[in-house]
Amino acid sequence: MERRNLLRAAVLGGSAAVFGGTLWRGAAYAAPAQPGPGPYGALGSPDANGIRLPSGFTSRVIARSGQTVSGTSYTWHNAPDGGACYADGSGWIYVSNSEINPSGGASAVKFSSSGTITAAYRILSSTRQNCAGGKTPWNTWLSCEEVSLGYVYETDPWGVNASVQRAAMGRFKHEAAAADPVRQVIYLTEDETNGRFYRFVPTTWGNLSSGTLQVMVAGSGTSGSFTWANVPDPDGSPTATRSQVSGSKSFNGGEGCHYADNTVWFTTKGDNRVWQLNLTSNTYELAYDDSLVNGTAPLTGVDNITGSSSGDLFVAEDGGNMEICLITPDDVVASFLRVDGQSGSEITGPAFSPDGTRLYFSSQRGTSGSSSGGITYEVTGPFRS
């Protein structure tokens, strides 16, 4: 079912609330109503891993930077960032980027059907500051370099096939990618204060070796219609891709990106917003913006974003109070979990196991505040379906 447009949401006294009645389109809105803690209830006390979770949920540590992954001989990478899950027979694989420069790259952890770790290994090496990325419908991982003139690398989560640099997808400060199998394109965010929102149209769907890079063209407002225009020179030199098309829309620090049901959502950290593009009507608007609620909203420092089978969006915080918050189809914004004692870190890489019962994510710098202190977690519980 297509997700409907979201209402503005805020939190008062630790309870989620929605702004009721009228869809918000930049005008004044009604007073907060319908207070509540969200669909999973209030957060409990910190568990043994320092994570506050709703009742019925538990956490475990999967890997720590600089230490061998349990049951394997593989040393987990520093600064774990964007991630995704892949079905592997009756088990699954979680892949994770490494946001360090130089070296970067990405690693993977393999699980059995019971959730036991059976292997861990490197799937990408010798790249730079691999931040977020995205999963393709043909089960590869797009690992994005968050550096000037950075590349997208297509990698194999099973570690069998060599990674491939996908230069046709453009050279810029890449952040995240999201595949749209209906229009057969890949959406791309750019982490610049005046970044752009792009899509890559492959010559052949399923083959990213060639195609056309396009940029979103729209007005300066927070809602309206949009079109796409070809980027003349995707290699970004001597003119940056974001500066090549007159009328292309500027976004303040593009971060996470997620596609579902003819809609693509992406976050911008510079103004703490979640944007929503209706790909059927070619219109855009804000799905979330805390700048109008005087800092009382639960979600601050928006970053990586993913979705669940219920239609809930899960948004990780870069800073803030180290939470993963959710935005429900019923227009509620609420805290889902909080990591205590790691204020010098950020939450990265949220991704669900194929059956939707486990959520993986990382604290990029852990308790030490250093890239060598990263911790990757798993949360298990009664997620909505």
Side-chain angles (χ1 to χ4, degrees), residues 146-164:
E146 190 195 358
V147 295
S148 178
L149 300 180
Y151 288 101
V152 174
Y153 288 84
E154 188 170 13
T155 67
D156 176 14
W158 286 262
V160 176
N161 299 313
S163 58
V164 181

Side-chain angles (χ1 to χ4, degrees), residues 133-135 142 176-180 185-189 257-259 264-265:
K135 179 181 178 179
L142 302 180
D180 175 354
V185 301
I186 308 289
Y187 302 104
L188 301 160
T189 57
C257 191
H258 175 68
Y259 169 87
V264 63
W265 294 268

Side-chain angles (χ1 to χ4, degrees), residues 247-287:
S248 60
K249 185 169 178 59
S250 176
F251 292 98
N252 191 350
E255 291 285 342
C257 191
H258 175 68
Y259 169 87
D261 299 325
N262 294 307
T263 304
V264 63
W265 294 268
F266 64 96
T267 61
T268 50
K269 66 181 180 184
D271 47 20
N272 205 51
R273 288 170 166 172
V274 180
W275 298 83
Q276 174 179 311
L277 273 61
N278 183 319
L279 301 167
T280 302
S281 64
N282 286 330
T283 57
Y284 72 96
E285 62 185 307
L286 289 174

Side-chain angles (χ1 to χ4, degrees), residues 173-184:
K173 200 172 182 180
H174 284 276
E175 183 70 33
D180 175 354
V182 177
R183 278 146 287 272
Q184 298 189 340

